Amino acid sequence: MPRDSLRSNLLLSETTEYQSTAERVLEYRVASGVYDELLGGDGRMSSAWQYLMQAVGELGGEELAERQRKVHSLLRDDGAAYYAYGSDRQQPVRRQWGMDLLPWVIGSEQWREIETGLLERSELFDLLLKDIYGDRTLIQRGVVPPEVLFGHRGFLRASQGVALPGDHQLLLHAADLVRQPNGEICVLADRTQAPSGSGYALANRIVSTRVLPSTFRDSDVHRLSGFFQSLRAKLMSLAPESASPNIAILTPGPLNETYFEHAYLASYLGFELVQASDLAVRRNALWMKTLDGWEQVHVLWRRVDDDYCDPVELKSDSQLGVPGLLEVARAGNVVVVNPIGSGVLESPALLAYLPAIARHFLGRELQLPSVKTWWCGDADSFDHVVKHIDQMVIKPVFRSADVANIMVSELDESARADLLKTLVSKPDYFVAQERLNPSHLPVLSGAGLAPRPAILRAFSVASEGAYRLMPGGLTRVGAHEGAQHISNQLGSVSKDTWIVASESKHEGEASLDMEYRDPSLVDRVAGLPSRVIENMFWLGRYAERAEFGLRLTRTLLLQSADIGSANDTAQQRMLAALVGISDSSALVAQQGLSIEDNNREALLMLVLDPARRESVVGSLHSMLACADETKELLTFDSQRVINQIRDESRQLVADLQHNMFSAPEDVLSPVLTSLLALSGIFHESVNRGMGWNFLDLGRRLERGIQSAREISQMLGTAAPPAREQFTLESLLSSNESLVFYRRIYRGHLELRNVLELLLLDHDNPRGMLFQLARMEEQAATLPPGDSKSRELTADARCLLEAKSLLQLVRLDDLCVVDETSQQRPALLDCCHRMESLLSQAAIALSERYFDRPIQPKQLLRQHWELAP
């Protein structure tokens, strides 16, 4: 039967059939005292849910559990994460983004009422923002007490005079919605300065379409691409018509709670992702530092809170903002979205006066009510709050990580008394809101379906003459039935939000790639920020350093069965090389360990210690940190492998200790395989631009440095013939060159031949001369910079000298052994010189292209920053 006919027949069936199917297969139980989105107020399944629940019932519990695991796997592969902070805000914990398989399904008719109310609300908040930084008629006519606005930290006098082009000042607006027990939708809060969640909603949707493809397709769900198309078009329209728009997203950095979203949207929309260190104000304009020079930024979509945006005029010790940004915005030379100062609209005290504000601007009541709110700074409202304190939720007027919302009913007598004292002493700083019981949604649990409270964050964007609402949003559900605190910081999970249409086609929902583009912009490629290029360089270096150390460790473990035989010399020298790679010499001496003694296990735990940044596993973690800084440049496949490495590295040391006496080398193989896969993806899938050039340069430099160290450590001192054979074999094995050597030299191990293969062979991808040739090619493509001198740069001189050193070397001289010391002085000198030259080249490249930005210094702390 065709899908459309099947869907029609299902929708014509009795509602009770769907309800019984869900209850029989998944044993759904409705929570008491709340509105249930699945079964409604009368206990009958909503028509919007029927097709989904029929599909759920047919899949059965085991298949649903498997698809939920697939959701987790896909989000992991995407790198979807959220950083949760403790009370000290110092040690963020990276959590994988959680998503429940079942979406929140809302019918078109119901959504139309919500949409109308939210679009009206966005228009009202836009008028409110214009008035606050304009004529302030609300204060002049007594609609809002002056203290509500001027006493709020979100009101920034420095933002007076900032005006965006076009009809709207508030370009992005988000609202948190809940459904009350009576079935009515209520707005709980508004987000206006840097609304988050739209990127997570998009990620959820993409996952949802992959794990429930046929159900999604047959449900006629409204697409989200049209919203992001409008967002992109709006931001593009804000730039001067005569300029090629350069649009950037300002992020606080990889440790920000929602950094994944920032990178995700930058990649999806094709914008630059920048941090404060990438930007500078020059000549009354905003510029981005690239390797090709300074590039002007026309539109800045900020994901940094208001008071952190400009350390000159706002929070003076902020490292997240750009000095002088407000002055440039006031001059109209950069458009900041949302405008700095829009955070005042997030004050919950405004909700107490929103009905009066709506009557003032619109001449009518709002279609969607807000949660009942009382500002404690008003005497009558304060009396009402005190009388009904047990039914209230107390919130600070200004959101802060240090002050949480307080459910008064959960307090004991002592805590309640302390709260009342605080309210009496600082009434202006708090509001009281009616305690709500949000509607519940079904989520998958071990026993089937279970009810959980839900909040929906809806998003709107200013479009041509009006706002456009995302047909869906970010749904978050509580950790347990009846939960009053629903927050990602507290471990809540999310859901996709399906707005199911009565019609099968949706106008204006074409793919983002099908929008009209100005032909003059198609061939334009913006330069990457210098910070991103630098992280690509170090991504290559750390990846190679980690791979080199793990490969050497695996070779050592494979040889471990021969301890005490002629192989002990090779093992000692490999351990010495590992100690050098991980910069552990001082720690080895401090702990009284000796490479010559039988301390292999203790030494391995030291050189692999994940708590040390210099260790082999520490290099893995540094590589992952660089990958986070360049997330917007990485392909899906590379992200998937990087997240696999992240998971594998967490337990690597513990697993190695547990398996030390049973094929321990197998513990390292998955990580090494993933690193090799990542290298292959970088080589075949990353665009051969400046980022790739520096990535490959970093990898080649690090491989050359580590190879020189290993050769000097393994072969710098002669050993008896039998022991030398094991040493040569171990060296070739750790460099993945043993099979290659046997094919060329018929398997007989000779020092001269080994050195020829590892130093001079142009065809050996692990050979030193091979690395130098590739580095020379990459260095030739780098920007020349401002210097017009014809002399070689410092990095070019180092690379040329290193290449000449190898080309002029005599292999027989390298093999000569000093009879007194038993060392090979020519080999040691060659390796040490190679290591020094390559290290100098790396430093010279860094100094030439990655100059350190001058960080703003706090000269004076403004007194208003001390206010709560």
Side-chain angles (χ1 to χ4, degrees):
M1 182 182 295
R3 290 192 185 94
D4 290 343
S5 300
L6 174 62
R7 182 173 183 271
S8 300
N9 290 341
L10 289 174
L11 293 177
L12 290 172
S13 302
E14 291 294 330
T15 301
T16 53
E17 292 182 13
Y18 293 94
Q19 183 171 337
S20 62
T21 299
E23 290 176 346
R24 181 177 67 255
V25 176
L26 300 166
E27 301 179 358
Y28 183 62
R29 174 185 54 81
V30 178
S32 60
V34 297
Y35 187 94
D36 189 86
E37 294 292 338
L38 175 61
L39 299 180
D42 57 1
R44 294 173 61 85
M45 187 179 295
S46 166
S47 59
W49 284 84
Q50 290 176 3
Y51 183 64
L52 172 67
M53 295 312 296
Q54 179 68 13
V56 166
E58 292 174 353
L59 288 174
E62 290 185 6
E63 178 61 22
L64 284 174
E66 178 59 32
R67 297 202 184 192
Q68 181 63 61
R69 285 190 288 271
K70 186 65 174 176
V71 167
H72 180 85
S73 175
L74 289 173
L75 288 171
R76 167 187 166 277
D77 290 346
D78 282 344
Y82 187 92
Y83 277 94
Y85 286 84
S87 57
D88 58 359
R89 301 287 294 178
Q90 297 299 316
Q91 295 296 330
V93 178
R94 187 181 190 275
R95 296 176 179 168
Q96 180 173 324
W97 183 253
M99 173 187 164
D100 184 68
L101 173 66
L102 300 182
W104 183 349
V105 184
I106 303 175
S108 287
E109 294 299 323
Q110 188 180 72
W111 180 252
R112 194 169 293 116
E113 297 177 5
I114 297 173
E115 181 179 36
T116 303
L118 287 176
L119 293 178
E120 176 190 59
R121 192 178 186 91
S122 296
E123 294 284 359
L124 177 61
F125 271 75
D126 180 61
L127 294 171
L128 178 55
L129 181 62
K130 293 175 181 176
D131 187 73
I132 289 174
Y133 292 104
D135 296 335
R136 302 193 181 108
T137 59
L138 291 173
I139 293 177
Q140 294 176 19
R141 299 180 184 179
V143 179
V144 177
E147 299 86 348
V148 169
L149 293 179
F150 298 148
H152 189 264
R153 286 181 56 188
F155 175 74
L156 304 178
R157 290 170 176 79
S159 294
Q160 191 74 29
V162 176
L164 274 60
D167 298 330
H168 298 93
Q169 295 299 297
L170 185 69
L171 301 189
L172 295 166
H173 176 225
D176 290 335
L177 310 177
V178 296
R179 193 189 299 278
Q180 303 178 83
N182 62 6
E184 292 184 357
I185 292 289
C186 173
V187 179
L188 190 61
D190 297 272
R191 297 289 178 258
T192 54
Q193 57 175 328
S196 63
S198 60
Y200 286 107
L202 178 62
N204 284 354
R205 172 57 56 85
I206 291 174
V207 170
S208 181
T209 59
R210 295 178 66 185
V211 294
L212 294 172
S214 59
T215 307
F216 176 86
R217 182 173 57 251
D218 297 338
S219 295
D220 283 332
V221 182
H222 281 279
R223 270 60 174 176
L224 304 183
S225 59
F227 171 83
F228 291 100
Q229 179 177 332
S230 295
L231 170 61
R232 187 177 190 278
K234 182 62 180 178
L235 295 179
M236 296 273 288
S237 72
L238 296 173
E241 294 182 3
S242 59
S244 298
N246 192 3
I247 302 171
I249 301 177
L250 177 62
T251 175
L255 295 184
N256 181 258
E257 293 99 322
T258 57
Y259 177 75
F260 163 78
E261 177 182 56
H262 307 165
Y264 196 81
L265 288 173
S267 176
Y268 186 77
L269 296 171
F271 298 156
E272 296 294 344
L273 185 67
V274 298
Q275 297 179 28
S277 59
D278 301 324
L279 304 174
V281 170
R282 295 184 171 192
R283 302 189 300 276
N284 204 25
L286 183 65
W287 301 83
M288 178 178 69
K289 179 68 168 66
T290 72
L291 293 187
D292 297 322
W294 291 95
E295 208 173 289
Q296 186 173 357
V297 176
H298 302 95
V299 180
L300 188 68
W301 178 9
R302 66 181 177 93
R303 300 305 299 267
V304 174
D305 288 347
D306 281 341
D307 50 347
Y308 287 88
C309 285
D310 186 345
V312 172
E313 299 192 50
L314 302 174
K315 188 174 175 58
S316 54
D317 60 348
S318 170
Q319 300 294 313
L320 306 179
V322 184
L325 180 61
L326 259 173
E327 182 62 31
V328 177
R330 278 194 296 267
N333 294 332
V334 67
V335 178
V336 181
V337 179
N338 275 335
I340 300 172
S342 55
V344 66
L345 301 180
E346 295 185 357
S347 171
L350 285 174
L351 298 182
Y353 300 94
L354 205 59
I357 295 172
R359 290 191 294 271
H360 173 78
F361 284 122
L362 306 177
R364 61 179 184 271
E365 298 291 336
L366 286 173
Q367 297 181 47
L368 278 183
S370 305
V371 58
K372 291 181 180 179
T373 305
W374 295 267
W375 177 52
C376 295
D378 177 77
D380 293 338
S381 297
F382 183 79
D383 291 340
H384 176 84
V385 171
V386 172
K387 290 179 182 178
H388 304 85
I389 190 72
D390 288 338
Q391 289 81 45
M392 297 293 180
V393 179
I394 305 300
K395 296 183 177 181
V397 167
F398 189 82
R399 284 194 304 139
S400 170
D402 302 326
V403 183
N405 299 340
I406 301 172
M407 299 284 181
V408 181
S409 61
E410 298 177 358
L411 301 179
D412 57 27
E413 290 297 327
S414 176
R416 187 182 284 105
D418 291 340
L419 174 61
L420 285 172
K421 289 179 182 178
T422 302
L423 293 179
V424 170
S425 63
K426 299 179 179 179
D428 294 1
Y429 296 159
F430 296 94
V431 300
Q433 292 183 339
E434 178 185 30
R435 178 171 175 171
L436 299 179
N437 292 314
S439 61
H440 281 49
L441 287 171
V443 301
L444 282 178
S445 69
L449 293 184
R452 296 288 184 269
I455 291 179
L456 170 63
R457 176 166 292 183
F459 304 90
S460 64
V461 59
S463 189
E464 190 66 33
Y467 281 89
R468 176 168 184 171
L469 196 69
M470 177 190 289
L474 179 64
T475 296
R476 292 165 291 168
V477 295
H480 56 83
E481 182 179 334
Q484 290 293 320
H485 302 279
I486 304 176
S487 167
N488 297 110
Q489 288 288 339
L490 299 176
S492 297
V493 298
S494 64
K495 282 177 171 284
D496 192 12
T497 309
W498 289 8
I499 311 302
V500 294
S502 55
E503 68 279 4
S504 60
K505 296 185 181 295
H506 317 300
E507 295 182 2
E509 294 186 352
S511 167
L512 196 66
D513 292 333
M514 296 182 67
E515 65 175 292
Y516 170 76
R517 297 182 181 185
D518 186 341
S520 66
L521 306 179
V522 171
D523 296 329
R524 178 177 181 272
V525 179
L528 293 171
S530 298
R531 173 190 53 82
V532 175
I533 298 293
E534 181 176 7
N535 277 282
M536 291 292 280
F537 178 72
W538 279 101
L539 175 60
R541 290 198 66 177
Y542 281 127
E544 183 62 32
R545 190 177 301 177
E547 181 186 331
F548 202 94
L550 290 172
R551 194 185 302 280
L552 190 56
T553 304
R554 185 178 66 174
T555 304
L556 174 63
L557 293 172
L558 285 169
Q559 303 279 10
S560 62
D562 291 326
I563 288 181
S565 70
N567 196 18
D568 57 356
T569 298
Q571 294 185 48
Q572 290 174 7
R573 294 183 178 182
M574 282 188 284
L575 272 174
L578 276 170
V579 168
I581 289 173
S582 61
D583 195 21
S584 304
S585 300
L587 280 176
V588 169
Q590 181 182 349
Q591 297 186 15
L593 298 174
S594 172
I595 294 174
E596 288 75 18
D597 297 334
N598 190 13
N599 292 316
R600 179 174 56 89
E601 184 175 347
L603 286 168
L604 279 179
M605 293 305 105
L606 188 65
V607 300
L608 294 173
D609 185 5
R612 295 177 54 243
R613 190 175 65 177
E614 302 83 1
S615 73
V616 175
V617 179
S619 296
L620 273 178
H621 294 167
S622 295
M623 183 204 77
L624 295 172
C626 292
D628 286 340
E629 289 275 6
T630 58
K631 188 184 289 286
E632 72 276 16
L633 296 182
L634 303 180
T635 64
F636 170 77
D637 286 332
S638 58
Q639 284 280 14
R640 180 166 55 85
V641 175
I642 284 169
N643 286 295
Q644 186 172 334
I645 294 172
R646 193 189 307 274
D647 290 343
E648 292 167 346
S649 66
R650 285 174 181 153
Q651 294 297 319
L652 189 146
V653 174
D655 291 345
L656 184 60
Q657 283 181 307
H658 181 73
N659 293 277
M660 189 58 73
F661 300 105
S662 177
E665 67 279 357
D666 289 347
V667 175
L668 305 178
S669 295
V671 186
L672 270 171
T673 301
S674 297
L675 284 169
L676 288 171
L678 185 63
S679 177
I681 292 171
F682 283 155
H683 189 75
E684 295 296 334
S685 302
V686 175
N687 182 53
R688 294 298 198 270
M690 201 57 65
W692 186 87
N693 288 345
F694 274 93
L695 172 75
D696 197 54
L697 257 176
R699 178 179 286 277
R700 303 297 176 187
L701 278 166
E702 190 66 33
R703 184 175 295 176
I705 291 170
Q706 300 302 340
S707 294
R709 286 179 180 175
E710 186 186 19
I711 291 173
S712 65
Q713 192 68 56
M714 299 283 285
L715 302 178
T717 301
R723 295 174 183 267
E724 188 103 302
Q725 290 289 306
F726 277 108
T727 302
L728 292 173
E729 182 177 333
S730 299
L731 178 62
L732 290 169
S733 180
S734 65
N735 282 276
E736 288 294 309
S737 300
L738 184 58
V739 174
F740 194 25
Y741 181 91
R742 287 169 175 167
R743 288 177 62 90
I744 297 175
Y745 299 102
R746 298 294 186 262
H748 183 64
L749 289 171
E750 290 286 351
L751 175 61
R752 189 184 189 284
N753 295 340
V754 170
L755 292 176
E756 183 179 46
L757 179 63
L758 295 181
L759 295 179
L760 303 181
D761 195 317
H762 289 272
D763 298 322
N764 181 12
R766 296 278 165 184
M768 186 72 72
L769 203 56
F770 184 95
Q771 313 310 318
L772 287 165
R774 296 301 179 273
M775 281 186 271
E776 195 174 47
E777 292 175 6
Q778 298 298 350
T781 66
L782 300 183
D786 298 331
S787 176
K788 297 181 179 179
S789 173
R790 296 180 181 274
E791 70 177 13
L792 290 177
T793 59
D795 52 281
R797 284 198 300 271
C798 291
L799 293 179
L800 179 59
E801 184 177 347
K803 186 177 181 181
S804 300
L805 175 64
L806 278 186
Q807 290 177 327
L808 296 173
V809 77
R810 290 173 56 87
L811 293 175
D812 290 336
D813 292 343
L814 299 183
C815 299
V816 173
V817 178
D818 182 89
E819 296 296 336
T820 303
S821 64
Q822 290 299 303
Q823 290 185 336
R824 297 185 173 101
L827 178 60
L828 288 172
D829 288 345
C830 178
C831 289
H832 293 162
R833 185 58 182 159
M834 287 296 302
E835 179 183 346
S836 175
L837 287 170
L838 294 179
S839 297
Q840 290 177 43
I843 294 172
L845 283 168
S846 297
E847 290 178 346
R848 182 179 170 193
Y849 293 106
F850 312 138
D851 53 337
R852 299 291 87 200
I854 300 175
Q855 296 294 340
K857 297 183 182 298
Q858 180 180 355
L859 300 178
L860 178 67
R861 186 171 180 83
Q862 303 179 33
H863 292 293
W864 66 267
E865 295 177 19
L866 302 176

